[in-house]
Amino acid sequence: MSRMKIDEIEIRDADIFEILLDNFPDMIHSIDDTGKIIYTNRTAERLLGYTRDELIGMNIMQIYADEILDAVRKGFSDLKQRGDKSVESLLKAKDNTRIPVEIRSFSIYDDNVQFLRTFSILRDTRDIKSLQNSLVHAGRLAAIGEMASGVARDINNPLTVILLSNEMLGKEISKVTPDAT
């Protein structure tokens, strides 16, 4: 087993790995074959509002939005058989806040190719979704601006003809009618 010194403190490789996982910016969890959470990092606590002690042993279905539980069951079954899966999903925090996430999961098997657990990384996509919505909104505003510009041009063209005709008519009338002054 290798060890390294950080600030004069000897740390085992396993401890370094644990520190990395615990401080990773995305939520990480591991689920056993019955669907129970057996590992989670600090980001999961922050994101979901549960303590680690509350999360460990919780059934994975409890942290997903109710409206997608059937898809989660099917996805978990597929993951156990296929070995890896990437999906977008919707978590449910302790306060019932819905959190859109991008999930990358893979399965871990024993030497007899029996499923043991999953390992998943879940990225909060609320900022990305917000940016996408802003871009859609900006696109709609741009389309409205283009449409308004087209309407203005369509109205302006006949008005220009009317104004020019009015000016030409005025000149013709002034030629025919002498000035009364």
Side-chain angles (χ1 to χ4, degrees):
M1 172 179 354
S2 68
R3 296 173 184 262
M4 69 179 348
K5 281 189 162 186
I6 298 177
D7 294 333
E8 300 302 316
I9 300 171
E10 193 173 290
I11 300 177
R12 296 178 304 130
D13 286 345
D15 293 334
I16 291 171
F17 185 69
E18 181 68 29
I19 291 167
L20 288 172
L21 287 179
D22 220 25
N23 291 288
F24 198 71
D26 295 332
M27 179 176 157
I28 297 173
H29 65 56
S30 184
I31 311 301
D32 72 10
D33 64 335
T34 67
K36 298 250 188 293
I37 299 171
I38 56 175
Y39 171 81
T40 191
N41 66 349
R42 281 190 214 162
T43 304
E45 293 178 273
R46 182 185 47 76
L47 191 64
L48 298 173
Y50 292 100
T51 66
R52 188 174 297 187
D53 289 339
E54 288 174 311
L55 287 167
I56 301 296
M58 184 184 284
N59 188 290
I60 193 65
M61 298 299 173
Q62 292 175 265
I63 65 168
Y64 282 91
D66 298 334
E67 60 268 24
I68 64 163
L69 290 180
D70 288 337
V72 172
R73 280 184 198 90
K74 183 177 180 341
F76 186 61
S77 177
D78 290 348
L79 177 61
K80 287 165 70 171
Q81 292 174 4
R82 269 191 22 195
D84 63 77
K85 193 168 188 74
S86 292
V87 297
E88 287 188 12
S89 195
L90 191 62
L91 298 180
K92 177 179 67 177
K94 190 174 187 177
D95 65 1
N96 283 325
T97 300
R98 299 297 196 258
I99 304 166
V101 292
E102 178 184 276
I103 305 172
R104 291 190 182 108
S105 299
F106 64 90
S107 297
I108 299 170
Y109 303 93
D110 65 14
D111 292 337
N112 298 320
V113 194
Q114 294 297 309
F115 175 82
L116 294 175
R117 66 183 53 92
T118 66
F119 188 80
S120 302
I121 299 172
L122 299 86
R123 176 163 289 163
D124 182 351
T125 59
R126 286 179 287 192
D127 290 342
I128 294 168
K129 297 287 184 192
S130 176
L131 181 59
Q132 286 173 339
N133 289 338
S134 295
L135 290 172
V136 167
H137 182 68
R140 288 180 183 154
L141 288 176
I144 289 170
E146 288 176 25
M147 186 174 69
S149 171
V151 168
R153 186 178 55 249
D154 289 347
I155 290 172
N156 196 32
N157 287 342
L159 286 177
T160 302
V161 170
I162 292 169
L163 288 172
L164 286 174
S165 297
N166 189 29
E167 190 176 317
M168 288 172 55
L169 187 60
K171 286 181 181 178
E172 289 299 317
I173 290 174
S174 67
K175 287 180 188 175
V176 176
T177 311
D179 246 344
T181 54

